Structures are given as C-alpha cells and as structure tokens.
Amino acid sequence: MDEEISRTRKRKIKENVDDNEKPLVKRRITTKAAGVKSLKSKKECVEGDKPKRKAVKKESKKELHSSENESEFKINDGLENQDYECNSLWNETEMLSYFEKVTPDLAQKFISLINEGCTLPFIARYRKEAVGHLMPDRLQELYESYQNVIQFKKKVKSVLENLKKSKKLTPEIEHSILKTKNLSELDLVYSPLKSHSLSLAERARNLGLEVYATRALNGEYIDLKSLCDGTEELSNVDKVESHIIHIIADIIYKDARVLAQMRTLKEETRFTLQSSRTKSSTKDKQESENKKVDSRSDPETYKLYFDWKCPVHFVKSYQTLAINRGEDEKILSVKVIIPDWFYNKLRSFCVTLWRSNHWVNKGLTDAYNRLIKPWLSRQVRSELTNAAQKEALKTFTTNLEKYLLTEPIKNRTIAGLDPGFKAGCKVGIIDNTGKKLEAFNIYPNFHSKNNDPAANQLKNILKKHSVELIGLGNGTACRETESWLKKHSISDEIPVIIVPEQGASIYSISKEAQKEHPNMDPNLISALSIARRVLDPLGELIKVEPKNLGVGLYQHDIPPKMLESVLDSTVEKVVSLVGVDINTASQAMLRRISGLNEGRAKKIISYRQDNGCFKTRAEILKVSGIGKITYQQCAGFLKVLGGPEPLDSTIIHPESYSVAKLFAKKIGVNIKDLTKPQFPEQVERKVINIDIVSMSKDLDTDTSTLELIINAFKQKSYEDNMITFCKPVYSVSVQGTEQLKTGMSVTGVVRNVVPFGCFVDCGVGDNGLIHTSNMGNANLKLGDRVAVTVISTPKPKRLQLKLDSILD
C-alpha cells in the first residue's frame, strides 16, 4: 500500500514537472529570481525514484560547456553579446558620474582630458572651463575615483575569465556579477566560487538536487525522504534538507534584486562598531618578564578602546585607524554589531520574490549567517577604513602643501646649524643662490661662560662670509645651542630662526645628496640642507620623501603605494602651480613638473649643459624625448626669464599667446613692458571696467583663459621678502620637559595639524597637543606661532596644551 502511495506521489510530481516546470524556469531566468545553473532536462531529473549522481555530474559538465559555447556570456536582460569589458553595462562616464555625483557631461570631459594625456595641474590651470571650474583637490578625488572604476572593470573581467576556466560560470552568476557596483559586492558573489574546492551549493548540485531545490523554492511540495538513497551524502532527511538549503541560500544571495536590496538596506541600517581587549594581550603582560620584548605597542596605548562601542556614523577617522592598528597587533578584538532590523527587512523583501515562505526562511537564514552577515561586517569595516585613510591622506596633503609653500627668505647669505651634543654642531654656509661656501664642525661648550674657542671660530667664519641669517635646526640640542649663541652674543648681530629639520638627515645619506655633494660628510650635508630650507624651502624639501617630513597622521597605517601616489601628486601640484625657472631648476624640481619625469628632467639638464640656457619655451621641443603632448603639459609651468618672448616668463600657456597679445592690444598696453615695475599697475587700471564675458567672446576664448591672462599681467615681479621669521619662537625660560609644570605659559610653533587638534613644538623635545576642545574657535595653520598654557605634564611624554592666543 505504501509503495503504491509513493508511486502515485512520484507520478504527480512528474506531472507537475511536465506542466509547471517550464514556465517556472522561464520566469526564473528572465527575472533573475533564482540565480542558479540551467536545469537539466525534465525527463532526466524526475526519471526513477532517486537521483543518479554520476549521470548528473556528467550532464552538468556537458551543460556548462554547452552554455559557454552557445551564449559567450549572454544573459537575458537586454545584455546579449556582452563581452568581458562590460562596456554597455559599465560605462565609465556613468559610473564616475554616479560615484562622484557630477554631471555625465563633466565626467565625460574629465575622462577625455585624462585619456588625452592631460595631468591634473594642467587641467586645474588651463582647462578650468571644461571641468566646471573644479578645484585641484576635487579633481584629485575625481581622478582617484576614475582609477577605481578602471580597476573594478579589470577585476570583473578577471573574475569572469577565472569562472569560465573553472567551469563555474553560469548565466545567472554572470548576471549577479554584472550587477555589482564595487569590489566588496563582487567579493560577496565571487568568494564562495574562487576556491578550487567545491562550495556547499556546488556539492549539493552535483548530487542532482538543484531541480528539487528550485521547485521547492517555487512553492512545490518535495518529498525529502524519497530523495534519500542510503549513501553518505543522502543518508537521511536532515542531510537532504541541508543540501537543498545550501542551494536555495546560493540562489537567494546571488540574486541581483536581493543584492540591490541589501545595498539599499545597508545605507539605512545603523551599525555599531565595538572593540574590547584580547585575552592574549593580558596574558602577554603577565608573562612579559619571562619573554623577550616584542615590537608591539604597549597595550595601555589602546586603553580607551578596551571596552568601547560607537555607532558607525559617529566613528572618527583616527579612531578607526587606531582600532585597526590595535587589532593588527592582537591587542584589540573588533566586531561590527548588525541589528536584527536588517535581517527582518531583507526577509520581508525575499518572501515577495519566491512562492515558498518556508524555504525562503531556511535559505535566507543559512545565507545570512554564513555569507551575508560576514560580508556586511567586512563592508562596514572596509568603508570605515577607506574613509579614514582618505581623511588621513587629506590631513597629510593639506599640511604638506602648506609646508612646501613656506615663505622663502631670498637674497641672503645663510648659515645652517645642525645642533648636537657629542657629535658637535654642524655648520653649512650658502650664498644667496644656494651655492655652498663652507661646511665644518664646531664643538660648543654649553657650560662655559666666557672664551669658548668654538664661539670665536664660528664668529670669525660668519664674519668672513658676511652671513646675514642663521637657520637653527629644531632637533637635539636646539635649545642649548640657541642659548649658547645668545650667551656669546652671536645672535645679537645675526638673526636666528628655528627650522624644522625632519627628513634632513634622511636626505643627507640619499644617493641624490651624495651626487650633489660627492665625498662630503652626510652630517655637513644636513647642515647645508637646513640653510637651503630657509633660502628656498620648496626647492629643498622636495628632495626628501614626503612621508619623512613629519606632517602626517597615522601615515604608517596607510598602504605605502597609496601614500606615495597621493603625496607625489601633491608635490607635483605644488611645484607645477608655483612654476620654476627652467634654466636654474634642479633635476629634483624639474621631475615634479606636470608632464615630466626623472628621465625627461635628466634630458633637460643635459640639453642645458650642452647648449647653454633655454632662450624660449618653444626650445623645449628640441629636447630629446619631449614631444607635443609633453610640451603641452609642461610648458606653462616652466618659465624662461629674460628671453626674447616676454610671455615666456608668465603662467600664460603658449597656446594662448595670440589671445594674450590681442588682449594687450585691446586694452592699450605693450607686451614688451611686461617685466617693468609699472606694467601691473597699468593693467589694473585698464581692466577695472572690462566685461570679462563679452571680451572673451570678442577674443574667441573662454572666460577662464582670459582671467588667467589678466592675472598674469597683474602679477608683480618678485619683491624681496622682509625677514618675518626672526621673531622668538620658544619661551626662553623653558628648555626641557623636566621644567614644565601644569599652568605654565609657554610659546611655540604649530608643526602638524590633524582632525582632532594640532601639535605644537615648544622647544622641549616633545611636541604638545592642543586638542580641538582647547582651541576655542581658532583656526590654526601650519607654522602659526602660538602662546599656550600647559594643562598636563608629559607623563608619559604626552604634553597637553590649551591655546591662549595666536602671536603675530
């Protein structure tokens, strides 16, 4: 009797397959509801009482091969004949417009300029109109986003090729991949498939259970007991159910609509980041006496995060980077708390897509716990880290720009002093062009009151070279040397300024330094570098790797390639926008110019040595390896002073010379007088009542180009700077941390600005922090001189300060 009932049930199932399966499958493929492999023939799937595993495996391979030959990545949604590049689905212009919230027209123009070989400094200055007058920082963001789009497309192409080679690519999987919008979403779909071993869903499919899982999801009754065949994998109902759940979970989380819904829900969900101290860090502390000291930080450094919880949207960038570092050092355990709201909303959505609530619940629960929840955690952490890294890079580049643009003190003979104790004080003297005059060591006796031979030696040499200014490095023995100079009346006659010396010692042992100063003691090179940082800060600072200049935040937690790329772009932007004299610029300076690199800079130097000075900008085209595109990019940033073409000394690009000359004629000024002192004032008077828009139309140019020409005409020739940095920097009464007391007032210089405050050098060895809560409404900048109050003594080496005032 039981056998007869069983046969009747199977017959009904078979009839249902014949009557209903085709429309269900059609619905599944055209709407992407299931996202599973193409079903095997209906006859074979229901033939016999139990699945035939070997036959199914063979058929599965055959079908995959057939699918690849027939469709070559076809999917049903108007995406037929879609190739690996995914050009129609992933249009770079549309993606850039979507991610950066700019118009498609602007995105297209920006991409076209980049593909034509234009650099960001060139676009920022000479193609403003095309990119909607975007600022350089915003252009940098667009460029980085565009590079991410390109990398994402390459990654998708690679994933599709790998899946095709491994015979795992199906139309549904392909469609899910083509619907992803970033690397994280791609990882959700691809990660279970990239292993050489079979995923749980693949193992279940190879058992011939896919058709039953699909039917169950579509609301049909499946007799799980009838699918048991006595083998290990299908030995009981629980194992059969588990396999079917794995297939359904795979169908659900790869479905393009579910992925889109998860993306929406993720934006609406309030996640929480939580950290706690690991047991191993406590154990390490207890056993530290019996172990060697490791390279990890003191666990107490992360005390704030031992029991810490914060909503993700309130987490600060520096908190993210600190937590990441603590986790890497195995001091902190970090997790993302995902509210039940997310699962409940996702479940409500999924039950509308398939007919069986029972199987949707089981499949979604499995997919959520195994795949979706870990993916959400990774996604939230990744987004926090990316945002934190961007903020850290922004902090670094902002400080770096200000530092590179330190006001030079031109036309002075300068002595650079690199102070020290045992090694003595290194002295480097340069003339007003930066050329070395003399370099030597002196050994001050900081305890002597009179007749120190080192003081007499220094006085005589300073007098010999008519030194007008002393640049004193702010490192070890700075305060002692400053007092020593005052004690022996050296600084009474010659002003002394304190110079940040970060990176000077690293530069002094570099190949570039040895090439510039062959066979010279690196310590003396460091002294010369300090002197040149006063005369020409930009020209000297660009010789040092930006990360060694000490103006960043958590730079060691940022991927090195990312850091180097962004900082190099910043240096290029600063150097290009300042511009250089092509006949005097060093190779280090030239290689940072828009369109140039190390090789082209070398060739310019060689041409200059072989042929003498450049007479015009046009002569740059005679340099080997510099073609029309390179010339277009670099010409506006390379100045030629005193040549036959006056415009060569301005920021006006050669492509606009004809417009500039016509404009000069219209306003009644003579281009030949451009370098004369009265020329800017003449232009100022002439352009007061000019209508820029109508004038630009008359000249057949855009308003941005005309404004640049006017600004170039109004720019005054370089005026000799007064010495503005010779005011006292540090408090005379305090020279070391041991002298500091809570409530004491001191002075200092802002050396680093970060999101949570700024670090001030008070001349006591360790920079003190003015937290944002102790700054009032002041907006401090790099280099500002400030009066501060000590609010906590440096234990352990953490000097906390409160801003009193910004000094003139």
Side-chain angles (χ1 to χ4, degrees):
M1 184 68 180
D2 291 339
E3 291 180 2
E4 186 176 345
I5 293 173
S6 179
R7 283 197 298 272
T8 302
R9 181 179 292 149
K10 289 178 181 176
R11 186 173 67 251
K12 287 183 177 180
I13 290 173
K14 183 174 181 179
E15 289 171 358
N16 286 336
V17 171
D18 291 337
D19 294 339
N20 301 323
E21 188 169 346
K22 188 172 181 179
L24 285 175
V25 172
K26 182 177 180 181
R27 174 180 177 273
R28 180 167 60 84
I29 293 177
T30 54
T31 63
K32 316 302 178 301
V36 297
K37 291 191 286 187
S38 301
L39 297 180
K40 293 163 277 297
S41 67
K42 298 182 287 295
K43 181 178 179 181
E44 185 174 358
C45 289
V46 297
E47 189 174 40
D49 293 342
K50 298 172 184 176
K52 297 179 181 179
R53 284 177 290 163
K54 290 185 179 179
V56 170
K57 282 186 180 179
K58 186 175 180 181
E59 184 65 17
S60 177
K61 291 181 180 178
K62 182 179 178 183
E63 281 203 358
L64 275 171
H65 184 68
S66 172
S67 173
E68 290 160 7
N69 289 339
E70 289 175 7
S71 64
E72 190 64 18
F73 294 148
K74 288 183 183 178
I75 53 177
N76 299 322
D77 196 16
L79 297 173
E80 286 80 1
N81 299 318
Q82 187 77 43
D83 65 11
Y84 286 137
E85 294 298 335
C86 316
N87 290 324
S88 63
L89 184 62
W90 273 316
N91 180 281
E92 291 175 354
T93 298
E94 292 175 3
M95 288 187 76
L96 185 61
S97 173
Y98 170 80
F99 287 124
E100 291 300 322
K101 305 296 185 289
V102 295
T103 64
D105 182 56
L106 191 152
Q108 180 58 56
K109 288 179 179 177
F110 178 78
I111 290 173
S112 297
L113 288 169
I114 294 296
N115 291 337
E116 287 169 11
C118 296
T119 63
L120 296 185
F122 178 83
I123 295 171
R125 179 181 283 180
Y126 300 114
R127 295 294 183 267
K128 280 185 179 181
E129 204 82 15
V131 293
H133 297 264
L134 292 180
M135 299 300 288
D137 290 345
R138 184 70 178 114
L139 291 175
Q140 182 68 37
E141 290 175 0
L142 256 66
Y143 179 76
E144 290 169 9
S145 186
Y146 177 53
Q147 294 305 307
N148 290 337
V149 167
I150 294 172
Q151 292 303 315
F152 180 58
K153 289 182 67 176
K154 286 181 180 178
K155 180 66 176 177
V156 169
K157 177 180 177 181
S158 172
V159 165
L160 292 174
E161 287 176 342
N162 289 339
L163 289 176
K164 184 180 179 184
K165 288 177 184 176
S166 62
K167 309 296 184 184
K168 293 182 179 182
L169 186 67
T170 67
E172 289 80 12
I173 290 174
E174 179 193 7
H175 182 69
S176 295
I177 288 173
L178 294 178
K179 286 294 184 181
T180 59
K181 290 186 179 294
N182 54 50
L183 289 173
S184 180
E185 292 180 3
L186 179 63
D187 177 63
L188 176 64
V189 178
Y190 180 51
S191 56
L193 300 168
K194 60 186 175 184
S195 172
H196 291 297
S197 59
L198 294 176
S199 67
L200 294 175
E202 287 174 309
R203 285 172 56 191
R205 287 190 173 102
N206 285 345
L207 295 170
L209 298 175
E210 179 176 19
V211 64
Y212 300 103
T214 306
R215 285 162 50 188
L217 192 56
N218 281 304
E220 291 188 38
Y221 170 74
I222 301 296
D223 182 10
L224 300 181
K225 190 174 181 180
S226 68
L227 299 178
C228 301
D229 64 359
T231 60
E232 184 182 350
E233 292 287 354
L234 299 172
S235 59
N236 56 53
V237 171
D238 289 340
K239 287 191 174 183
V240 172
E241 182 182 40
S242 178
H243 287 310
I244 287 178
I245 288 173
H246 290 153
I247 294 174
I248 292 173
D250 190 69
I251 290 171
I252 291 173
Y253 92 87
K254 285 181 180 173
D255 186 271
R257 295 167 303 173
V258 175
L259 188 63
Q261 180 66 7
M262 284 197 294
R263 189 183 301 132
T264 301
L265 290 177
K266 189 181 74 65
E267 296 303 318
E268 298 173 357
T269 304
R270 291 181 174 271
F271 301 98
T272 301
L273 192 66
Q274 179 178 300
S275 67
S276 58
R277 185 172 185 176
T278 60
K279 291 181 180 179
S280 61
S281 68
T282 307
K283 191 183 295 182
D284 287 347
K285 186 176 181 181
Q286 293 170 350
E287 298 175 0
S288 60
E289 295 178 3
N290 301 321
K291 290 185 176 181
K292 293 182 179 179
V293 178
D294 59 26
S295 59
R296 292 187 300 176
S297 304
D298 180 355
E300 290 300 310
T301 304
Y302 302 99
K303 186 176 181 179
L304 178 65
Y305 303 105
F306 283 173
D307 185 17
W308 183 83
K309 187 186 291 186
C310 181
V312 163
H313 54 285
F314 288 133
V315 176
K316 303 290 192 295
S317 60
Y318 56 87
Q319 292 173 328
T320 298
L321 295 174
I323 286 171
N324 288 353
R325 184 188 291 180
E327 186 180 38
D328 289 342
E329 295 184 351
K330 295 182 172 48
I331 296 171
L332 297 177
S333 174
V334 187
K335 69 177 181 178
V336 176
I337 300 173
I338 302 168
D340 294 339
W341 180 88
F342 185 95
Y343 173 82
N344 294 334
K345 283 286 186 181
L346 186 60
R347 178 192 168 281
S348 298
F349 176 78
C350 288
V351 296
T352 66
L353 304 181
W354 293 280
R355 299 178 187 177
S356 174
N357 289 2
H358 170 77
W359 288 107
V360 166
N361 287 336
K362 284 186 173 291
L364 180 60
T365 299
D366 180 62
Y368 184 75
N369 291 328
R370 277 195 305 114
L371 302 162
I372 297 173
K373 198 172 181 180
W375 171 75
L376 278 172
S377 294
R378 292 196 304 271
Q379 178 83 329
V380 170
R381 292 290 303 279
S382 175
E383 288 178 356
L384 279 174
T385 300
N386 289 338
Q389 289 176 345
K390 281 186 177 180
E391 186 66 32
L393 287 171
K394 184 179 179 181
T395 298
F396 206 151
T397 54
T398 300
N399 286 332
L400 180 60
E401 281 185 37
K402 287 186 171 66
Y403 193 22
L404 292 176
L405 292 172
T406 299
E407 185 181 10
I409 300 177
K410 294 288 186 181
N411 301 324
R412 299 289 194 282
T413 302
I414 301 170
L417 270 62
D418 183 2
F421 291 114
K422 291 183 180 180
C425 181
K426 285 70 67 180
V427 182
I429 301 176
I430 58 172
D431 66 13
N432 58 8
T433 66
K435 180 182 176 182
K436 183 191 85 169
L437 297 177
E438 194 164 347
F440 55 94
N441 282 309
I442 59 172
Y443 298 90
N445 183 347
F446 295 125
H447 303 292
S448 72
K449 295 183 178 179
N450 299 305
N451 298 324
D452 184 350
N456 295 328
Q457 179 188 1
L458 182 60
K459 280 183 181 178
N460 291 334
I461 296 178
L462 294 179
K463 186 176 182 180
K464 170 186 171 184
H465 295 292
S466 302
V467 170
E468 302 167 82
L469 183 63
I470 294 174
L472 176 62
N474 69 340
T476 305
C478 168
R479 300 306 307 279
E480 290 79 1
T481 304
E482 182 185 23
S483 297
W484 180 81
L485 291 171
K486 188 171 185 179
K487 186 193 302 181
H488 295 281
S489 303
I490 297 173
S491 58
D492 292 348
E493 299 177 3
I494 305 174
V496 176
I497 64 172
I498 306 298
V499 183
E501 61 177 52
Q502 285 92 339
S505 57
I506 294 174
Y507 160 70
S508 67
I509 58 174
S510 67
K511 290 182 180 179
E512 188 171 344
Q514 293 301 319
K515 186 177 179 181
E516 190 176 0
H517 305 285
N519 303 318
M520 183 180 284
D521 180 358
N523 291 317
L524 296 180
I525 295 177
S526 180
L528 290 171
S529 179
I530 289 172
R532 287 174 179 153
R533 288 186 182 198
V534 178
L535 181 73
D536 183 13
L538 178 59
E540 192 62 26
L541 291 172
I542 61 165
K543 298 175 184 176
V544 182
E545 284 190 59
K547 64 183 179 182
N548 294 322
L549 291 175
V551 291
L553 169 71
Y554 287 104
Q555 59 261 40
H556 301 296
D557 296 314
I558 299 172
K561 286 187 178 179
M562 180 191 295
L563 182 65
E564 289 172 14
S565 174
V566 172
L567 295 183
D568 283 347
S569 297
T570 302
V571 175
E572 180 181 319
K573 181 180 84 171
V574 171
V575 173
S576 294
L577 295 181
V578 169
V580 300
D581 181 351
I582 192 172
N583 288 318
T584 59
S586 65
Q587 185 174 314
M589 186 75 89
L590 287 171
R591 69 184 175 88
R592 300 290 192 176
I593 289 292
S594 165
L596 300 183
N597 54 28
E598 192 76 44
R600 290 167 184 158
K602 269 185 184 178
K603 289 177 180 178
I604 288 176
I605 298 289
S606 297
Y607 181 91
R608 203 167 67 192
Q609 291 171 345
D610 296 339
N611 301 278
C613 292
F614 285 85
K615 306 296 188 297
T616 64
R617 277 175 170 165
E619 194 178 347
I620 298 171
L621 282 166
K622 294 181 181 180
V623 177
S624 172
I626 294 185
K628 290 183 179 179
I629 292 178
T630 301
Y631 175 73
Q632 179 198 48
Q633 297 304 305
C634 73
F637 305 103
L638 297 172
K639 298 177 182 178
V640 179
L641 306 178
E645 174 54 78
L647 295 176
D648 282 347
S649 64
T650 70
I651 60 173
I652 301 171
H653 198 280
E655 66 186 9
S656 302
Y657 279 6
S658 58
V659 176
K661 290 174 180 177
L662 185 57
F663 173 68
K665 191 173 181 181
K666 277 184 174 290
I667 64 173
V669 294
N670 191 340
I671 286 288
K672 292 181 180 179
D673 297 335
L674 192 144
T675 56
K676 293 182 179 178
Q678 68 271 20
F679 188 82
E681 295 176 6
Q682 289 178 2
V683 174
E684 191 81 50
R685 291 195 302 270
K686 301 274 187 179
V687 299
I688 289 177
N689 299 318
I690 281 183
D691 184 336
I692 298 290
V693 176
S694 61
M695 178 64 79
S696 61
K697 287 180 180 177
D698 289 345
L699 297 172
D700 194 23
T701 189
D702 55 69
T703 56
S704 297
T705 300
L706 182 56
E707 285 173 352
L708 184 143
I709 290 170
I710 292 172
N711 289 334
F713 282 178
K714 287 159 56 175
Q715 191 170 10
K716 296 178 181 180
S717 58
Y718 183 78
E719 294 178 358
D720 191 23
N721 286 307
M722 297 297 289
I723 298 180
T724 57
F725 291 120
C726 294
K727 299 174 183 177
V729 173
Y730 305 133
S731 300
V732 177
S733 59
V734 180
Q735 296 191 355
T737 54
E738 68 281 356
Q739 296 176 286
L740 290 173
K741 294 180 181 178
T742 301
M744 181 178 285
S745 295
V746 293
T747 58
V749 182
V750 176
R751 298 297 187 197
N752 197 7
V753 180
V754 294
F756 52 85
C758 64
F759 289 95
V760 176
D761 175 11
C762 297
V764 294
D766 298 308
N767 289 348
L769 172 66
I770 305 179
H771 192 270
T772 48
S773 60
N774 295 315
M775 287 173 59
N777 296 320
N779 182 23
L780 293 176
K781 303 184 297 297
L782 206 74
D784 280 348
R785 293 175 60 253
V786 292
V788 295
T789 298
V790 178
I791 57 177
S792 73
T793 51
K795 294 179 181 179
K797 293 188 176 181
R798 290 184 181 177
L799 178 58
Q800 301 289 326
L801 306 171
K802 180 181 179 182
L803 178 67
D804 293 333
S805 63
I806 302 175
L807 304 175
D808 293 335

